[in-house]
Amino acid sequence: MEGVGRPDGDDAPGRCAYQGAPGAFSHEAVIDLRPWDEPVAYDSFEAAIAALKAGQVGCALIPVENTTIGRVEPAASLVETAGLTVVSEVWRPIRLALMAPAGARLGDVRTAESHPAALGQCTGALAALGIRPVEAFDTAGAARAVAEANDPARAAVAPARAAEVYELSILRNDIQDSADNRTRFVLLSA
């Protein structure tokens, strides 16, 4: 997939804000779509947008819609009211993986932590596995917390790349309820 270029056509290295921890879907999107930019992580959509408005970054890549759950909130509402320019948009496939500390087995897992939007994309799969969803601020942040806890009863729902970043084992790939699960990201500039 091609990168999402700057409005002025200048693709010199810059800084691109995203919400989440390293390994999150938004982090992946920045790396894949804007490889010339330094990805800059923020804990919330509000903080990523505020950084753009303050000139701390040159752009922000924010998810606003998903084919399974609809609007990604609060991101979509924040984008609508931010007064920023939507430079471009792209739909990206979203594949969710269930991951846990090394040595954990699927039968050990009691809870799965993730961002509410990601949990909403795999409610059927988690219910079928008898796993209780637990909301976290971010997909990769949940993976990091599960790795730090090192509890085989706790898993995370996150991109497969997060398992590599946080040294977790993937117990099941493609746990999203829809085979055509995609998210629309918008590139914002001030």
Side-chain angles (χ1 to χ4, degrees):
M1 180 178 282
E2 292 182 32
V4 179
R6 294 201 172 130
D8 58 7
D10 177 10
D11 290 335
R15 294 166 42 91
C16 186
Y18 70 92
Q19 182 276 329
F25 286 110
S26 293
H27 183 229
E28 284 186 344
V30 172
I31 290 170
D32 293 346
L33 301 173
R34 302 203 38 100
W36 54 86
D37 278 345
E38 174 191 351
V40 183
Y42 291 90
D43 285 344
S44 68
F45 296 115
E46 294 92 340
I49 290 171
L52 176 57
K53 286 182 170 185
Q56 297 167 352
V57 295
C59 60
L61 194 61
I62 307 291
V64 294
E65 183 181 1
N66 176 269
T67 54
T68 302
I69 64 165
R71 288 170 59 93
V72 175
E73 292 294 357
S77 294
L78 290 167
V79 167
E80 290 170 358
T81 61
L84 297 167
T85 302
V86 175
V87 177
S88 59
E89 64 179 54
V90 64
W91 284 93
R92 291 182 48 86
I94 301 295
R95 301 291 174 255
L96 299 168
L98 182 69
M99 56 194 71
R105 298 180 324 250
L106 193 55
D108 297 332
V109 176
R110 299 291 168 250
T111 61
E113 303 168 29
S114 195
H115 187 276
L119 292 172
Q121 296 166 41
C122 61
T123 56
L126 292 179
L129 293 169
I131 297 173
R132 182 175 57 85
V134 175
E135 291 186 2
F137 88 98
D138 175 56
T139 55
R144 180 177 56 211
V146 164
E148 289 170 356
N150 198 28
D151 178 351
R154 288 176 61 182
V157 172
R161 194 177 287 175
E164 295 173 24
V165 171
Y166 301 106
E167 299 179 351
L168 295 170
S169 296
I170 295 178
L171 302 178
R172 178 131 336 145
N173 275 307
D174 291 327
I175 65 164
Q176 65 278 351
D177 293 333
S178 169
D180 187 34
N181 191 39
R182 292 174 292 127
T183 294
R184 181 169 62 100
F185 289 84
V186 294
L187 181 69
L188 303 173
S189 72

